[in-house]
Amino acid sequence: MPTPNEPTPAESSPSTEPEIVALTPMTVALFRQTVPMNALTDYFDRAFRTVGAVLGAQQIPITGPPLGVYYGMPTDTVDVAAGFPTGRLAEAADGVTAEALTEGRAAQILHVGGYDAMQETYRRLMAWMTQQGLVPGPVMWETYLTEPKPGGEQESLQTLITWPLAG
């Protein structure tokens, strides 16, 4: 088992305990905006539809689950991008741009449950990083491994939180 500061491959099974992983670069197509925190659900619905339409029109394959990328710490508003990993770079269209998410070391944790309880998982991850002497970078992302169903059970939702480390 790796020590707290020794990375494990990012493709290994995610853990509900904080761990260090080694990231490989990932090409993504994203729709980015600054939105009020209370409007995130509507934003994500619109962003995923828009990115999906652009990728379909450009015949670019989606290679993984949807994700939300966060630039800086949220307040009443959040600078966020939503989209999908892709097989190749998308051409900019309808507010969708291509980006390569970083490689290197990251702190990672699997959140199981509804989005309303995710704040506690973030608190655990941030406390763990502080205990380990790790400095989080300015950008982090959530990978939505399961899809919420209208009126469905929230307890089984799985969200992988990945926070690349500074330095």
Side-chain angles (χ1 to χ4, degrees):
M1 169 168 253
T3 62
N5 287 316
E6 183 181 323
T8 58
E11 59 273 356
S12 65
S13 295
S15 173
T16 56
E17 293 301 319
E19 62 183 344
I20 299 293
V21 297
L23 300 174
T24 56
M26 178 175 31
T27 302
V28 294
L30 300 171
F31 182 82
R32 183 174 177 179
Q33 287 187 330
T34 298
V35 296
M37 287 296 288
N38 63 2
L40 271 177
T41 300
D42 291 338
Y43 161 76
F44 277 113
D45 289 344
R46 183 175 67 256
F48 291 139
R49 277 194 313 273
T50 302
V51 174
V54 167
L55 293 176
Q58 294 182 22
Q59 298 181 340
I60 296 175
I62 293 172
T63 59
L67 52 99
V69 180
Y70 295 85
Y71 304 87
M73 292 297 284
T75 56
D76 292 341
T77 61
V78 60
D79 183 2
V80 62
F84 301 94
T86 58
R88 67 180 200 282
L89 291 175
E91 292 181 30
D94 297 330
V96 175
T97 59
E99 190 172 320
L101 296 181
T102 190
E103 64 183 317
R105 290 180 347 132
Q108 197 171 70
I109 190 169
L110 179 66
H111 170 77
V112 178
Y115 301 127
D116 56 344
M118 203 177 300
Q119 203 168 14
E120 177 55 33
T121 303
Y122 271 103
R123 275 196 279 279
R124 286 181 45 228
L125 180 61
M126 289 188 290
W128 182 82
M129 285 191 289
T130 299
Q131 287 175 336
Q132 300 299 317
L134 302 170
V135 178
V139 176
M140 54 79 52
W141 58 88
E142 299 170 350
T143 304
Y144 308 108
L145 302 176
T146 54
E147 186 177 341
K149 307 276 189 268
E153 184 179 300
Q154 299 288 306
E155 294 81 28
S156 62
L157 291 177
Q158 294 186 1
T159 304
L160 184 61
I161 299 169
T162 303
W163 205 323
L165 301 171

